[in-house]
Amino acid sequence: MDSDLRQRLAAYLEFQRELGVERLRITPSSLAALAPASAATAAPAPALAAAPRRPQTSAASSMPPFHPAPASDPVPSSLRTPAYSPSGSFASAAAPPAAPPADPAAELVHIRADLGDCTRCKLHRLGRRQIVFGAGNPGAELVFVGEGPGADEDLQGLPFVGRAGQLLTDMIQKGMGLDRAAVYICNVVKCRPPQNRTPESDECAACSPFLRRQLLAIRPKLIIALGACAAQNLLAFKGSLASVRGRLHPLELDGWNTQLLITYHPAYLLRDPSQKREAWKDLQIAMRFLGLPRA
Ligand code: URA
């Protein structure tokens, strides 16, 4: 076994052990699935953090390709909910569906420029150092949406770079077998709430149009909402997070249709590691939907 495959196997086994899996059957096909995916070997996508004003015209086309989903639908209907359009700050205007942007990377740069040195909500005067716009592949088929930047993110200008970010990276890389640079990661609010409190509804309302524009620029096949804040801003629902996770929710934004999966926030998983197994089940739904080899 070559050293790269050995390392990948060790990382995968460690991830499974953290999930509480004690016995695992390794077959030739599971070993084959650990071989580097094309998405994992391509050059990393440029981060879009910290207001890149420079036009990026063709970055999307050079992004790592994603595994195509199989033609037949691998997700049983029991894991789907009926079509749904979000309400509140995410409600679509009654306008006809906008055409997909020709250049998602350039569109993201444009959105970042529109956001500017934002003062639309009170978070700008509550101690934020910088805006954390989002980072990753503008051509991603998978987008993760978190709540809002914490202290590390505020310092670095990048989403999910602290402890919770490390766990998210492990979930993406060790669990799903993707390179973090192949996906796109952003938050509902782009500025750090003081003491890492949950963003308030007026703050989410001020920032949500930018999240919606990011999603409409990237048009991923699947959005994964991390935790209740992201879930509630993308899908109006009553009840607990547990009641909406574990299945795909059709989501319509301005006439464009995609799928939403809701799972636990990595910070919650750090506090209650016993829920990691449930989060792993959610990731497996995502992997099946996206046709990823480890699913
Ligand atoms: N938690 C979040 O919700 N987002 C981040 O970027 C970091 C921690």
Side-chain angles (χ1 to χ4, degrees):
M1 189 187 298
D2 72 34
S3 69
D4 182 49
L5 186 57
R6 197 191 307 271
Q7 268 178 13
R8 283 170 182 275
L9 180 59
Y12 183 66
L13 292 176
E14 185 201 324
F15 182 74
Q16 294 297 329
R17 193 176 47 74
E18 281 172 11
L19 294 174
V21 176
E22 278 158 16
R23 293 168 71 98
L24 204 62
R25 219 161 70 86
I26 302 291
T27 61
S29 63
S30 55
L31 272 184
L34 285 167
S38 52
T41 50
L48 280 156
R53 302 288 162 116
R54 191 163 44 86
Q56 297 181 345
T57 45
S58 59
S61 55
S62 63
M63 288 307 146
F66 216 85
H67 298 278
S72 64
D73 186 346
V75 178
S77 56
S78 59
L79 291 178
R80 295 179 178 281
T81 47
Y84 171 79
S85 298
S87 59
S89 52
F90 243 85
S92 55
D103 186 341
E107 178 64 13
L108 286 170
V109 173
H110 192 83
I111 299 164
R112 178 65 189 86
D114 286 350
L115 185 58
D117 188 23
C118 187
T119 57
R120 292 170 182 81
C121 85
K122 59 186 177 303
L123 289 180
H124 80 278
R125 53 179 162 76
L126 296 179
R128 82 148 190 234
R129 280 174 209 238
Q130 57 186 314
I131 289 170
V132 180
F133 181 65
N137 178 1
E141 295 207 339
L142 175 59
V143 170
F144 289 88
V145 179
E147 179 175 304
D152 296 301
E153 291 76 21
D154 182 57
L155 212 58
Q156 295 187 40
L158 292 167
F160 282 98
V161 289
R163 275 186 72 225
Q166 184 54 56
L167 178 55
L168 178 62
T169 304
D170 285 349
M171 288 158 71
I172 295 167
Q173 302 199 152
K174 294 182 185 170
M176 302 180 85
L178 288 171
D179 196 291
R180 181 176 154 133
V183 306
Y184 191 84
I185 304 175
C186 58
N187 284 301
V188 174
V189 298
K190 315 297 188 211
C191 297
R192 182 191 180 195
Q195 282 82 47
N196 297 343
R197 66 156 166 73
T198 305
E200 293 173 356
S201 56
D202 58 317
E203 297 156 1
C204 294
C207 233
S208 280
F210 293 94
L211 173 60
R212 184 177 61 222
R213 285 180 63 191
Q214 283 173 298
L215 296 173
L216 282 165
I218 301 167
R219 303 206 173 204
K221 220 174 221 157
L222 180 66
I223 299 165
I224 298 186
L226 300 167
C229 174
Q232 278 158 0
N233 275 276
L234 291 163
L235 186 77
F237 66 91
K238 290 200 171 64
S240 65
L241 190 87
S243 69
V244 284
R245 57 156 287 274
R247 62 185 189 276
L248 295 172
H249 302 268
L251 183 69
E252 189 254 309
L253 297 178
D254 292 0
W256 163 70
N257 293 291
T258 189
Q259 298 286 323
L260 174 72
L261 185 74
I262 294 166
T263 193
Y264 294 120
H265 193 288
Y268 171 72
L269 297 176
L270 289 173
R271 291 195 299 276
D272 184 357
S274 68
Q275 297 299 329
K276 281 185 181 178
R277 286 187 100 147
E278 294 303 304
W280 176 233
K281 287 184 198 161
D282 296 334
L283 294 187
Q284 285 175 307
I285 293 171
M287 290 159 71
R288 280 203 296 281
F289 177 68
L290 295 168
L292 294 178
R294 280 189 203 171

